[in-house]
Structure formats: C-alpha cells, structure tokens
Amino acid sequence: MKCRLHRNPRYRWFLRQAPRRLAIRLGLLCLITSGTSCSLISPEGWETYRKDSARSGITDEHLSAPLSLSWTIRPTHVPKPAWYDPAEGIHRMHTDRAYHMTVAGGRVFFGSSVDFKVYAVSARTGKVKWTFYTDGPVRFAPTIWKNRVYVGSDDGYVYCLNARSGRLLWKYLAGPGDERVLGNENMVSLWPVRTSVLVDDGVAYSTAGVFPYEGIYISALDAGTGAVIWKNDTIGDRAHELHFNGISPHGYLIASENILYVPSGRALPAAFDRNTGEFLYYMSPSGKSGGTWALLEEDRLVTGVDLSGVPRKVGYDIETGAMTSEAYAFFPGIDLITAPDVSYVATLEGIFALNREQYSDAERRAGAMEEEKQELVGTIRDLRSRLADADIETSRRINEQIEEIAGRISSLTDEQEAIKSSSFEWEYPHEGLCSLILAGDMVIAGGEDFVIGIDAGTGGELWSADVDGRVLGLAVYGRRLFVSTDKGNNYCFKEGGAARAREVRTDLNPFPFREGRLLGVYQSAVREIVRETGIEKGYCLVLGARSGRLAFELARQTDLRIVCIDRRKRNVRRARDKFDEAGLLGSRIAVGQWDLSSLPDYFANLIVSEEILESKRISYPAEEVFRVLRPYGGVAYFGQPAVATGILRGVDFGDVKEWLEGGGIKGG
C-alpha cells in the first residue's frame, strides 16, 4: 500500500495549516501500513567508491571495536577483470578485481563483471532485495544520489535505477552507436563504459571508449533526466599529441570544484573542465609509472600505482597538471589516506601515520639531500672514468676523492633515514596490505585474507578478522564495515561480540527448464550439430533465443561460448532468467535484443537457430548471417533432428534454399 495523502486536496490544505501535525500522522500511517515506499535513500552514506568524489576514503562515522561478522555473500562466480594479470606483478588497473560496494539507506549496492547484474541487498542481513540486468559486465561500484543508482556497463550504456525497486528510470548510450565487438570473451560495445559514473551537484559524469582511434567520449548528464549537458567527442583524435598512447578511460572518475579527472588505465589521468567538457591537460608520467589509483589532496592530485613494479605515488598540481613531487617518497604507498593533520600510508612493510606538517618539511630537506647525492654519484662516475688513463699517483688521489665522496653519500643517507624516522607518529608493521580507509578514530586496513582495525591516534591494533581473498574494497555505513575481496566475497561486520553469521549464496538450478516432449528434441539437435560440424569450442551464435533451450543444451554439451539474439524483449527476458538460474549467464551465455547488424564480422565459429526448430523459418537476413560467420572453418547449421517428427512442424527446405539464395548463397 503506497502513501498517497499528498494527492488529496483536503490533505494539501491540512499541510498548509498544520505541517508538523501532518508529518506525525503521515509517519504513523507509513508505519501502520508496513510500507517502505514512503522511505527514501538517506542523503548520508558511503554513496560512492571511497566515500566521495575526491576518493578520500574518509568518513566521520565511528566504529567501536570489536567487530563481528554479520553476513557473507558468496557469489556464483569470482570477478573477471577487464585486463589479465600483469607481468610486473602489481595491478595498475585492479579497480574491477572485486565487487566493490556502496551503501545508503540501509541497502548495499554492487555490480558483477560476470553475470552483468546490479545487486541491491539488505545492509542488515545481506538478503537480495532486487537485481537489474545490463547487457554487459558491470565493473565499477554504483553511485547513489537522491534515491537513485547510477552505473555503467561494458554494453556502452549508463543506467539510472530507482534505489528501492531497481526500476530503470533512464539509460544513455554513451558512445556514438551500438556496434559490438568481442571483449574479455563477451560481446561488448566498441565504446564500453570502463569508468564509474560520478554524480556531483546534480550532474552525472561518464565516459565511453577505450581505444583512442575508435573515439573517446566524455559526457556530463542531468542526473535527474539523463539529458546531455555537454559531450566531448574529440579527445580520441588527440592520441598522437599525448604521452603513453593517449587517453584510455578506465577507473574511478575524480572531481575537484572545477575539474573532472579521468583515469587512463595503466597510464595517468587526464583533466577536463567540469562546466564545458574542454580538454585541459594530460598528466605526463615520470618514467614507467601510472595506474588507476588516485585521490585529491588539497591542491594536488596524488596518483599512480607503481614505477616498474615498485609502489609509487606522484603528486600533480590540480590546476596545471604539472608534476609537483614524488608523493610520500620515503613511504612508497600501496594505499593512502590524507586526513587534515595526519596521512596514513599502507606500504609493503606496514602502515605509517605521518604528521603532515613535519613530513612536508622532512620531504623537502631529504629531497635536497637526494639531489646532492645524485650530484655526488655523478662526480664519482666522472672520477672513475679518469682512472683508466691515470698514473699511479693520480690514481691514488682519485681513489681518495672517491672514498671521501662515498663517505659523504653514506652520511647523507643516514641523515635521510633519521629525518624519515622523525616524520611519522607511529608504525604498524604488517605485510600483505592492499587497502586503507579511515572511519572516525579507527584506521581500517585490508590485506591478504585479513582485515584489521587500528587506533588512529596510537597505532594499536583494536581488532582483526580473517576473510577469504585480498581485501580490495572497504566501506563504512550504519556502524557496520563492508569488505570486498578478489574472490568475489562481500562481508559485513557489525559492532559487538561474535554472533551467528549469515551466509548468502545463490541457489543454482542445473536444469531450469521443465522436462517434456521437447527435451529430447533439443538434446538430439545439439548432438547432431556437434557430430556433423565437429565444432565444440569457440563462439556460437544462436539466431532467435526463443526459450533458450538450444543455447542451454549447447552450453551443457560443448565448451562453446554462446551469443543469443532475439527481437522480442519477452524472449530475451525469459531466456536470460533461465541462464541466470543455471549460473550460465555471462560466464558461458550472453543474450540480448541486439540487431544482427551490430555484431562484428567473422566472429562465429558456429551459427545455429532455435527459431527454425519451432517456426520453420529464419527471420534474419542471410547476407548478415554469413557476414558474421568465420571464413575457412566456420559452419552455419540449420534444421531439425529426426526425433522432432510428430512433435514440431517440419522445416520446408525449399524455403531455406530461397533464404540462402536471397543472401547471395548459391547451391545451398
């Protein structure tokens, strides 16, 4: 029952006369009817990745130790990142290696890079409230704003959903068209949305595209309606002017008051004017450094993941993009939190709390010493080059000079270490760290199979817990801690002692279709397809998803990755639900209401049709069917198995021949 008092003229008059009394009565009515439709998402929460548009990772909300496990969500599939493991061992683009959570209004939201869904679950119990299907992997945490959920997908669309119901409010095609390609073993847009959707001051910012020469698109939309405010569609043409192969958006967008920063995957971010979309500058890497990690720290953007495999952060002026420093050079950070007076840095050795004022001075002094050391190293190099042609006496003097200079370098190194030691307030030794946030007076850190809480003032451990996987995501809301790992597990810890924790799993149905006379038809059809074609691996296109049975049997009997298309939304929805129920959606089968003309050339090793089994015809143009079929080995196989006799209407192969000839295929 929904609350509709505001539509009654008598109550509108009552509202003008006695607003306080009505508010009380209205609240009671909502309570009596047990409805949730009157409640809205709270304006406070962990509404976006790392809490805010600066990606600070800081909340004023306090947690009291100890915390105990409340629930665990164990997914059907582990996350599948867009990029494979790097050779250098440090993930510059690890932002989609976990199902990162955002939290508001008593609900937790996350997306899946495998089954293409957005999830809303209860923050208290972990129970699923609703799910929403996109047509591609969802790689980044949803953003919450005014009872709405914003998310992008590899299908090339930005989605705006109702936070309570999951109902689609609007969607926006972020690129220039709906052309599709194979990407990460899925059928994705040529212009996927590979960044988060950032919402600030009623504007939703998004990107599309990863290949500069195919076009990169940066957009600002009205967050309420999805209407375009501005769109920059020229930046892909500037690839030849930029370093590191140009801008390839991937990661979480960041915003200052006037500038939108777009992470560029393994490289460094680019800056755009928030009001006009004008390209401003690209942050040039210093050596082989880069990565998606970034946060705003007052007047600089600190960004970067590593320098040739070693953790590294670099500071850039937020207005000009000029490199200002190697940020926190003493403590090469894996993750970083910058509070007003103290910075907390997670390193390979542990966590350091740095007095920001003292550290700034220490960094300046040590930097000057480092410059002197480099000059002295150069002097030694020059002296050694003179040794080859020197006589004995000259060699003796040169070696004495080298020894003296080496002593000075050693002395400077000792001074640097002393300065370094004086600049931090406490140290918490621990290996295997991955992530860091600050909740009130508690530093929360995640690592390899663990999460810990540390007193922000003293560095003393307050509590710890074991989890399964590398902790890449942390969030705090409603006096609860939410943890995401690279195994796909999402955890909720609450204040208080240990209690019985709930484990939430998806109950799969390995055979979601009803048994009946058609069961043998589809099983026989797939056996015959495999026997006649010999194709059991690669990509299969199913024309006309219909019930989804043919694709399902192909997935059961082969190792094919299957793409189903159908013109009818009802068929797509029905087949998608069945594949999801069996745990095959996204992992083995994709289904969409896609036009055949949007699919790429020559991708299909095998093309079959379910519609010909049930309707005796193929409704897709023959020339388009053979356009997507792989040459030299690809097979299009249409027909009905013998077992279908008496169950289905027989196919008129004269019609099939006419269909082939209509597509320019002779002698079919």
Side-chain angles (χ1 to χ4, degrees), residues 125-200:
T125 66
K127 180 180 178 181
V128 176
K129 293 297 186 179
W130 55 257
T131 61
F132 176 86
Y133 293 108
T134 71
D135 281 337
V138 178
R139 302 195 174 279
F140 301 96
T143 296
I144 317 303
W145 181 78
K146 290 191 175 180
N147 202 36
R148 297 175 181 228
V149 180
Y150 299 83
V151 71
S153 168
D154 275 8
D155 65 12
Y157 283 87
V158 172
Y159 294 85
C160 176
L161 313 174
N162 181 283
R164 281 293 166 194
S165 65
R167 178 173 61 88
L168 177 65
L169 299 178
W170 55 259
K171 69 177 185 177
Y172 168 70
L173 182 62
D178 209 18
E179 186 177 347
R180 297 179 179 272
V181 294
L182 286 175
N184 303 102
E185 300 181 322
N186 289 308
M187 193 62 70
V188 302
S189 171
L190 183 57
W191 303 276
V193 179
R194 286 282 176 85
T195 60
S196 64
V197 180
L198 186 151
V199 182
D200 188 44

Side-chain angles (χ1 to χ4, degrees), residues 576-643:
R576 180 184 280 156
D577 287 341
K578 294 297 184 183
F579 301 150
D580 190 30
E581 190 178 341
L584 297 172
L585 185 66
S587 63
R588 290 289 307 283
I589 308 175
V591 55
Q593 196 178 357
W594 305 322
D595 195 294
L596 181 57
S597 64
S598 70
L599 302 187
D601 295 345
Y602 312 136
F603 85 91
N605 302 81
L606 175 66
I607 299 178
V608 297
S609 171
E610 179 163 337
E611 65 179 358
I612 200 172
L613 287 174
E614 297 189 13
S615 65
K616 302 196 303 180
R617 66 188 182 88
I618 301 173
S619 63
Y620 294 89
E623 61 270 23
E624 281 295 304
V625 171
F626 290 99
R627 177 186 63 81
V628 302
L629 182 66
R630 173 190 170 188
Y632 303 106
V635 178
Y637 192 91
F638 307 117
Q640 292 177 342
V643 73

Side-chain angles (χ1 to χ4, degrees), residues 18 22 45 67 88 111 160 165 197 247 323 337 410 428 465 511 611 633:
L22 178 64
L67 303 181
E88 64 266 33
C160 176
S165 65
V197 180
I247 297 169
M323 181 177 173
I337 299 295
S410 177
Y428 177 84
F511 197 88
E611 65 179 358

